[in-house]
Amino acid sequence: MLSGIKQRGVVGKDGKIEIQTSELAEGTVVEVIILVEQSTVEQPEIADQQQDTTDYLLSNEANRRHLIASLQQLETPQNLIIFTPDEWNEEHNLHS
């Protein structure tokens, strides 16, 4: 069964991206998908090269099956971990 963890972050020095969670044990195999927020001002040549995220994720059969399975999991409440933003920040020691 698949489950999900959603976090926002900022790419650091040398393209480094960090994900921290107490929900995963050391050695757990994960698949990471990075969705990049589009800039409010895009250069035309970059905008022409970008593909809609949904179109990209549905662009092949394996992705399509994975997305459909994930959406079906959302329909089953026991598969969800629900928390408020304050609970998330407290758990992960984030400060706004």
Side-chain angles (χ1 to χ4, degrees):
M1 176 190 315
L2 295 174
S3 62
I5 297 171
K6 182 177 179 180
Q7 293 186 20
R8 292 180 69 112
V10 177
V11 178
K13 185 176 180 183
D14 299 322
K16 185 175 181 178
I17 300 171
E18 292 186 27
I19 299 172
Q20 296 178 353
T21 179
S22 60
E23 297 175 49
L24 301 172
E26 184 176 339
T28 301
V29 176
V30 300
E31 180 177 348
V32 178
I33 298 173
I34 299 172
L35 304 174
V36 179
E37 289 184 4
Q38 293 184 6
S39 170
T40 54
V41 178
E42 295 181 354
Q43 298 173 353
E45 63 273 7
I46 294 173
D48 290 341
Q49 295 172 5
Q50 291 179 338
Q51 186 179 21
D52 177 82
T53 304
T54 304
D55 289 342
Y56 170 74
L57 292 173
L58 295 172
S59 65
N60 68 57
E61 187 60 32
N63 283 354
R64 198 170 14 262
R65 282 194 311 268
H66 185 79
L67 273 176
I68 290 169
S70 296
L71 289 171
Q72 288 170 340
Q73 286 180 349
L74 289 174
E75 295 172 359
T76 309
Q78 67 261 26
N79 290 336
L80 300 179
I81 299 171
I82 300 172
F83 48 85
T84 67
D86 289 336
E87 291 169 332
W88 175 266
N89 290 339
E90 184 177 307
E91 173 75 21
H92 299 286
N93 297 316
L94 300 176
H95 304 284
S96 32

